C-alpha cells in the first residue's frame, strides 16, 4: 500500500484521538446539559458548572479535559477489502504515539512484570485493538476510546447460574453500582454485556459504551431492561461526582448475544462523565466521516 496513504491515515487518526482528548462527543455534551438542568441543590449545580468550565478551558488552552487520558482502545469494523488492512495495527500504534506527543497525552503504559513506563502509550498489546472483520467491504470504522484507570478499565464480569435469571443480572449490576459507582466520576454511562461466557460478556459491555447515549437495544425486552436499570441506578442518587443529586447515569446500554442454556454471563463497564469515545469512518481512498464530534477538522 502507498506510504503516502499510510501516513495520511496515521495523521488523521492521531489528530482525531488528540481532538477527543479535549472535546467530548456531541451526545455526551447534550446529556450533561440536560442532566444539569434537572439538579436543584447548589452543590450539584456547581459541579455541573465546573464540568462545563473544564470543557471550555480544555478547548481554549488546547489541553486534555482530564488528567487521565486513559489507555487507548480501538474497536474496529474493518472490511476485508479496505486497502490498509494489513498495515492497520501498525498505523494505530503509530497514531497513538503521535497523539501522545502532540496532544500531549499522559503516559499510561506500564510493561507488566518488567514494571517500567514505556513513555509512549504503546507497549505489549497496547493500544488494545478489537477487530470485527466485514467480508467484501472496502471501508473502515474506528471507535477510539480513552479508557481511564478509574472508569472503564476496572470492569467486572461473572457467569451466573441460569436459575438466577434476569433478577440475578439486575442484582449484579446494582451491586457494582452501589459499591463501585462512586470510583468513576458520575454521571456514568453504564455498559452491560450479557452472553454465554465471561469473555463474551466483557467485550459486549465495553462495546455497549460505544453506542450513542439515548440509543436502545433493538430487542424491546432488553430496551425495557435498559430503562429499568437506568431508573434503578438513578434512584441511588449518586449525583454528579458522586456527591449526591437526582441522577447517577447518562444512560444504560445493554449488548447481548445468545447463550448456553445452563449459564448467563454478565459484565459491567462504566464510562465516566468525561466519556472520550470517538467514531470515524473511512472509505478506501481515505475520505472520512466523523459521527461523534461535529467540531472535528484536520
Ligand atoms: S473517572 Fe473519568 S473524569 Fe474521573 S479521573 Fe477517571 S478519566 Fe477522569
Amino acid at each position: 500500500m502507498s506510504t503516502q496513504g499510510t501516513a495520511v491515515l496515521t495523521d488523521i487518526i492521531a489528530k482525531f484521538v488528540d481532538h477527543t482528548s479535549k472535546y467530548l462527543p456531541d451526545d455526551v455534551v447534550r446529556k450533561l446539559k440536560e442532566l444539569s438542568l434537572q439538579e436543584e441543590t447548589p452543590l450539584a449545580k456547581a459541579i455541573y458548572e465546573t464540568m462545563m468550565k473544564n470543557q471550555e478551558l480544555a478547548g481554549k488552552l488546547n489541553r486534555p479535559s482530564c488528567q487521565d487520558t486513559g489507555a487507548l482502545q480501538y474497536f474496529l469494523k474493518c472490511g476485508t477489502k479496505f486497502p490498509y488492512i494489513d498495515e492497520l495495527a501498525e498505523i494505530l500504534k503509530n497514531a497513538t504515539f503521535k497523539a501522545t506527543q502532540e496532544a500531549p497525552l499522559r503516559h499510561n503504559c506500564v510493561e507488566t512484570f518488567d514494571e517500567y513506563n514505556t513513555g509512549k502509550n504503546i507497549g505489549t498489546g497496547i493500544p488494545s485493538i478489537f477487530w470485527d472483520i466485514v467480508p467484501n467491504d472496502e471501508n473502515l470504522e474506528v471507535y477510539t476510546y480513552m479508557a481511564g484507570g478509574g472508569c472503564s478499565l476496572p470492569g467486572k464480569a461473572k457467569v451466573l447460574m441460569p436459575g438466577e435469571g434476569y433478577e440475578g443480572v439486575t442484582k449484579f449490576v446494582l451491586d457494582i453500582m452501589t459499591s463501585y459507582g462512586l470510583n468513576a466520576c458520575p454521571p456514568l454511562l453504564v455498559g452491560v454485556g450479557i452472553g454465554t461466557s465471561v469473555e463474551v460478556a466483557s467485550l459486549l459491555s465495553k462495546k455497549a459504551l460505544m453506542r450513542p447515549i439515548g440509543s436502545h437495544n433493538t430487542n424491546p425486552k432488553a430496551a425495557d431492561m435498559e430503562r429499568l436499570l437506568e431508573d434503578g441506578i438513578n434512584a441511588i442518587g449518586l449525583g454528579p461526582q458522586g456527591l449526591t443529586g437526582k441522577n447517577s447515569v447518562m444512560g444504560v446500554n445493554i449488548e447481548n448475544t445468545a447463550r448456553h442454556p445452563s449459564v448467563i454471563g454478565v459484565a459491567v463497564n462504566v464510562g465516566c462523565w468525561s466519556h472520550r469515545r470517538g467514531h470515524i469512518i473511512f472509505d478506501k481512498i481515505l475520505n472520512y466521516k466523523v459521527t461523534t464530534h461535529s467540531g472535528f477538522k484536520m
Side-chain angles (χ1 to χ4, degrees):
M1 228 357 84
S2 83
T3 322
Q4 197 200 348
T6 304
V8 168
L9 189 53
T10 307
D11 280 354
I12 297 172
I13 294 175
K15 189 82 185 158
F16 186 53
V17 168
D18 178 334
H19 185 86
T20 61
S21 75
K22 295 159 188 167
Y23 298 91
L24 291 178
D26 300 344
D27 62 334
V28 173
V29 172
R30 267 196 306 274
K31 191 69 187 181
L32 290 173
K33 272 190 195 140
E34 182 192 317
L35 294 179
S36 71
L37 295 174
Q38 293 172 20
E39 294 297 346
E40 284 164 358
T41 67
L43 179 59
K45 280 176 177 296
I47 293 168
Y48 274 115
E49 277 162 25
T50 309
M51 287 172 177
M52 307 301 170
K53 185 79 182 161
N54 175 79
Q55 279 308 114
E56 191 191 314
L57 286 174
K60 210 180 268 179
L61 301 172
N62 194 29
R63 287 183 197 161
S65 61
C66 174
Q67 41 78 34
D68 185 358
T69 49
L72 261 296
Q73 300 194 312
Y74 298 99
F75 298 84
L76 311 178
K77 287 183 192 164
C78 185
T80 51
K81 296 187 175 13
F82 181 66
Y84 301 90
I85 187 168
D86 291 340
E87 294 88 1
L88 196 49
E90 202 53 33
I91 287 170
L92 292 172
K93 267 195 165 188
N94 291 337
T96 302
F97 180 48
K98 197 166 160 51
T100 298
Q101 290 183 308
E102 290 174 2
L105 308 178
R106 196 174 84 180
H107 300 164
N108 281 335
C109 177
V110 172
E111 285 293 354
T112 306
F113 292 117
D114 297 326
E115 295 303 314
Y116 69 92
N117 195 318
T118 66
K120 299 175 179 175
N121 277 334
I122 55 177
T124 309
I126 297 272
S128 313
I129 304 174
F130 302 94
W131 292 81
D132 280 330
I133 295 293
V134 187
N136 297 314
D137 187 89
E138 296 177 329
N139 302 311
L140 167 70
E141 270 187 65
V142 185
Y143 287 90
T144 64
Y145 187 52
M146 294 186 166
C151 50
S152 85
L153 289 175
K156 284 207 172 123
K158 190 177 181 186
V159 176
L160 308 175
M161 292 295 106
E164 294 181 72
Y166 296 96
E167 292 82 358
V169 170
T170 305
K171 182 175 181 309
F172 181 77
V173 176
L174 289 177
D175 280 353
I176 291 171
M177 296 315 296
T178 49
S179 58
Y180 176 72
L182 284 173
N183 284 14
C185 301
L188 308 169
L189 180 61
V190 182
V192 179
I194 302 175
T196 198
S197 60
V198 82
E199 73 280 4
V200 169
S202 298
L203 187 53
L204 289 172
S205 69
K206 187 57 80 68
K207 284 186 173 176
L209 296 180
M210 301 302 115
R211 253 180 44 204
I213 292 170
S215 65
H216 282 289
N217 190 299
T218 50
N219 182 309
K221 290 178 185 164
D224 271 352
M225 193 170 190
E226 289 176 335
R227 292 187 193 96
L228 289 169
L229 281 171
E230 183 170 341
D231 290 348
I233 302 168
N234 277 336
I236 301 168
L238 296 179
Q241 292 292 6
L243 292 168
T244 72
K246 288 202 163 172
N247 296 293
S248 312
V249 296
M250 298 190 281
V252 177
N253 291 353
I254 298 177
E255 287 292 306
N256 67 283
T257 61
R259 60 181 214 280
H260 186 289
S262 56
V263 293
I264 180 162
V266 55
V268 176
N269 249 303
V270 294
C272 58
W273 75 271
S274 184
H275 186 49
R276 289 149 300 167
R277 65 121 155 69
H279 182 221
I280 184 164
I281 306 167
F282 294 92
D283 68 14
K284 66 174 179 182
I285 54 166
L286 303 182
N287 292 315
Y288 65 87
K289 187 172 128 196
V290 169
T291 67
T292 45
H293 293 72
S294 51
F296 175 73
K297 50 183 178 305
M298 281 299 285

